[in-house]
Amino acid sequence: RYSSTVGCIRSWNRPNATEFWVIIDNMMNLELLVWAGKQQEMERSATNGFVGGEEDVNYTMMAISHADNMIRDDIREDGCTYHVIIYDAQTGAVLRKTNHPQGLYDNSTWARGQAWGIYGFTMMYRYTRLQRYLDTAQNLTGCFVRHMHDCCNRTKVPLWDFSAQPPMNKSDSSAGAIFASAMMELSHLLQESEPEAAKSYYSEGMSVLDALSSNGFLSNPDTSSSILLRGVGSYPNSEVDVPLIYGDYFYLEAMVRLLQWYSGQS
């Protein structure tokens, strides 16, 4: 699904073959590529550069190319992101940028997409230690936090889209869980090099985790098989104000990271 012309991984197959759609969610898929790239490096070291017929495939460079294109094409001046970048499959040129189908409108900020971006660029920094990925993760975090302080001070959990107004202003627990997990990692990575920033990211993540662990968002195990309530899959089309399995996953991951890296910290 990787195109060397576009420099990205295709997200969805489209009826129009000339369009190459890339969604911000794909930042989450890059971890498999960079992990596979690390395995390639180890195998090449052990086999004098030959890896089972794949000597010309470089998974790490595919991931880096994709992430770099997202920095160039997906991030607005304010550090907020689009859901979809549509490229010309034949030339690699950007055809248009949109938040359809999951954001409110093209220049709004779809919260889960913003969280995917923060998480993905933090992960890319962990693997590569390339400064531009850390800078991007922090830039995207700035957008998320500004919106949280503007619209979500009461619940401490992001809206599904930060521009949503009543009656559309539903909280999305899954976006909060992804963001909180990313904050645990980002703060951990910066503990020594940027201690003040690390404290700030830890505080932002904990604020959301505390809210998700409250009665308004945490389910009752006697009546629900999920952990978190009040997720928004795709407003208004489906999964509105419901539990979402990926919300549960990243909530648990955030808690595990908290216990592993910050046990004993108040």
Side-chain angles (χ1 to χ4, degrees):
R1 302 187 67 81
Y2 178 80
S3 164
S4 58
T5 300
V6 176
C8 290
I9 304 162
R10 184 191 296 269
S11 298
W12 298 318
N13 294 328
R14 306 299 298 174
N16 184 347
T18 65
E19 292 187 349
F20 191 103
W21 285 43
V22 179
I23 58 178
I24 189 65
D25 318 39
N26 263 22
M27 287 300 304
M28 302 296 288
N29 299 336
L30 301 186
E31 185 163 12
L32 179 59
L33 284 177
V34 289
W35 176 87
K38 296 292 185 184
Q39 309 314 303
Q40 282 182 318
E41 291 174 14
M42 290 188 290
E43 290 185 38
R44 287 191 174 114
S45 295
T47 58
N48 296 318
F50 184 80
V51 184
E54 296 185 349
E55 63 272 19
D56 294 327
V57 177
N58 190 320
Y59 296 123
T60 299
M61 291 311 299
M62 290 179 184
I64 288 174
S65 174
H66 184 105
D68 288 349
N69 279 8
M70 290 298 96
I71 292 173
R72 184 190 68 200
D73 299 328
D74 194 84
I75 302 171
R76 304 195 292 263
E77 289 185 3
D78 61 357
C80 300
T81 58
Y82 295 97
H83 181 203
V84 186
I85 307 298
I86 303 171
Y87 294 94
D88 185 312
Q90 306 304 315
T91 68
V94 174
L95 297 177
R96 59 188 184 277
K97 305 179 181 186
T98 179
N99 271 330
H100 177 79
Q102 290 189 277
L104 184 60
Y105 50 83
D106 282 350
N107 287 318
S108 67
T109 301
W110 176 49
R112 189 165 65 248
Q114 192 73 15
W116 290 140
I118 296 166
Y119 190 111
F121 282 107
T122 300
M123 174 274 298
M124 286 296 293
Y125 176 69
R126 180 200 340 139
Y127 274 98
T128 67
R129 298 296 167 164
L130 292 172
Q131 183 66 35
R132 61 183 179 272
Y133 297 145
L134 175 59
D135 293 343
T136 302
Q138 292 180 290
N139 186 24
L140 269 58
T141 298
C143 166
F144 198 103
V145 169
R146 287 194 305 274
H147 280 299
M148 284 289 291
H149 292 178
D150 286 344
C151 73
C152 308
N153 276 328
R154 184 178 62 83
T155 64
K156 306 298 184 184
V157 174
L159 302 179
W160 68 276
D161 188 294
F162 285 120
S163 296
Q165 299 295 318
M168 298 185 293
N169 58 335
K170 302 287 188 181
S171 296
D172 179 15
S173 58
S174 73
I178 297 159
F179 172 76
S181 186
M183 289 301 95
M184 292 300 108
E185 175 159 48
L186 188 56
S187 61
H188 178 68
L189 290 170
L190 295 177
Q191 278 184 316
E192 294 185 5
S193 61
E194 298 184 39
E196 291 305 313
K199 290 178 183 178
S200 176
Y201 296 142
Y202 172 82
S203 176
E204 295 293 345
M206 281 302 302
S207 176
V208 176
L209 269 184
D210 285 343
L212 292 176
S213 302
S214 70
N215 290 335
F217 291 91
L218 199 63
S219 72
N220 182 340
D222 294 331
T223 58
S224 175
S225 59
S226 69
I227 299 172
L228 294 179
L229 305 172
R230 300 176 64 182
V232 176
S234 181
Y235 189 97
N237 302 311
S238 64
E239 299 177 323
V240 177
D241 208 9
V242 297
L244 295 169
I245 191 169
Y246 43 88
D248 286 356
Y249 174 88
F250 288 103
Y251 176 75
L252 290 175
E253 182 182 73
M255 298 295 254
V256 168
R257 287 175 164 179
L258 177 64
L259 290 171
Q260 287 180 337
W261 296 335
Y262 298 101
S263 58
Q265 180 170 328
S266 59

